[in-house]
Amino acid sequence: MILTTEPRIAADHLRCDGVWGGNKNARHEVRTSGLTVSVYSNASDGAEGGDICYVATCKSDVLTRIVLCDVQGHGSHVSAIANGIYCGLRESMNRLQGYMVLSELNQILRRQGAPAYATAAVITFNTSDSRLYFSYAGHPAILLRRRHGKQWSSLVSASDGEGANLPLGMFPLTPYDQDSVTLRSGDRLALYSDGLIEAESVSGEVFGEKRLSAVLESCRSYDLSYARDRTIQELELHSSGASRADDQTLMLIEVR
């Protein structure tokens, strides 16, 4: 289910201590004090899928946390996990340690009656120093485009930490790393589920990260909602006539 914001606020602006998100189909834009987030999420077989996305802010409106979790399965089973993520965000939102969110999500999946596995990416943006903290659990790397750069590139871990960064739900105690990078106004990020880049054409060719980056680059001078919709249009043209076996989610982010 899509979880409503607490307290109740306008859908396009997330104030202090707010949470927006869920696992239903969405085409939405959320703004916080530091970021603009444009979201597209579409389930492969209905209105409720296994891709879960959240945007949350801390009580002082300094931190914005974004989570994209790609859970194996659909329906009520995934909705229960979505609610668990919501509670985890609520409890941890005033801490910088996004990797602890992954540890909590790992325990949520481990507590499920049936085996459940997922990949996830967690980012936390601190407006006080323009620092972005990011952690992965077997998830595709975030794409980064500097405002004054020339291309999109993968945001990969550069730490020497001991984190295994394995998918969630595999082992009881899996360590996760956290890395960080400084961002500036106008820098953009793209989070996506593997169902988006693995979408096939009728001939079996996948959409791919290279094509995704090229479409996003062609929209560099336009706002996020246009870039989101143009990307989805290109995705649909690519996969027209082919069956879709997985959920697809794209989260475009710009530093304000």
Side-chain angles (χ1 to χ4, degrees):
M1 56 185 281
I2 287 289
L3 300 174
T4 56
T5 313
E6 296 176 1
R8 188 174 180 82
I9 60 174
D12 65 343
H13 184 74
L14 204 59
R15 293 177 290 195
C16 302
D17 205 26
V19 180
W20 176 91
N23 70 313
K24 280 192 174 181
N25 295 342
R27 192 184 292 253
H28 197 73
E29 189 162 291
V30 182
R31 295 182 181 90
T32 70
S33 61
L35 303 174
T36 298
V37 187
S38 192
V39 181
Y40 169 85
S41 189
N42 190 257
S44 62
D45 59 358
E48 188 174 290
D51 285 358
I52 305 170
C53 47
Y54 281 99
V55 182
T57 57
C58 71
K59 292 181 179 179
S60 59
D61 205 22
V62 173
L63 304 178
T64 298
R65 180 162 291 150
I66 299 172
V67 177
L68 175 54
C69 188
D70 184 354
V71 183
Q72 181 185 56
H74 302 83
S76 59
H77 166 69
V78 175
S79 289
I81 298 172
N83 280 288
I85 295 175
Y86 175 81
C87 294
L89 282 178
R90 269 275 176 248
E91 294 172 359
S92 68
M93 192 53 241
N94 296 297
R95 302 197 306 265
L96 267 177
Q97 293 85 356
Y99 66 93
M100 294 300 294
V101 175
L102 289 177
S103 295
E104 175 62 23
L105 297 186
N106 187 56
Q107 293 305 312
I108 290 171
L109 266 73
R110 293 288 300 177
R111 289 194 294 266
Q112 296 298 311
Y117 304 102
T119 67
V122 175
I123 68 173
T124 307
F125 183 68
N126 187 347
T127 58
S128 65
D129 61 4
S130 296
R131 199 84 183 159
L132 181 88
Y133 299 83
F134 61 97
S135 300
Y136 298 120
H139 200 81
I142 299 162
L143 295 177
L144 168 64
R145 172 58 157 86
R146 300 283 187 183
R147 179 179 181 181
H148 299 297
K150 296 182 179 180
Q151 61 185 4
W152 291 78
S153 59
S154 297
L155 194 58
V156 297
S157 174
S159 73
D160 294 323
E162 298 180 356
N165 300 331
L166 295 171
L168 305 169
M170 295 184 68
F171 302 104
L173 298 174
T174 301
Y176 296 98
D177 290 326
Q178 177 169 278
D179 290 271
S180 66
V181 62
T182 299
L183 298 181
R184 297 288 182 261
S185 178
D187 289 350
R188 289 186 172 184
L189 301 160
L191 282 75
Y192 53 89
S193 60
D194 58 9
L196 190 141
I197 59 170
E198 293 176 0
E200 295 185 352
S201 66
V202 290
S203 63
E205 180 185 6
V206 298
F207 189 68
E209 183 184 301
K210 184 176 180 180
R211 184 178 279 107
L212 171 61
S213 298
V215 177
L216 292 175
E217 184 61 24
S218 71
C219 303
R220 187 65 184 89
S221 300
Y222 298 91
D223 62 24
L224 287 188
S225 60
Y226 176 88
R228 174 200 64 200
D229 292 345
R230 174 66 185 279
T231 302
I232 299 310
Q233 181 183 46
E234 291 297 321
L235 175 68
E236 291 174 346
L237 286 173
H238 171 82
S239 56
S240 177
S243 60
R244 184 156 63 92
D246 202 359
D247 306 322
Q248 298 171 347
T249 297
L250 175 65
M251 304 181 76
L252 297 181
I253 302 156
E254 181 170 284
V255 180
R256 300 180 65 181

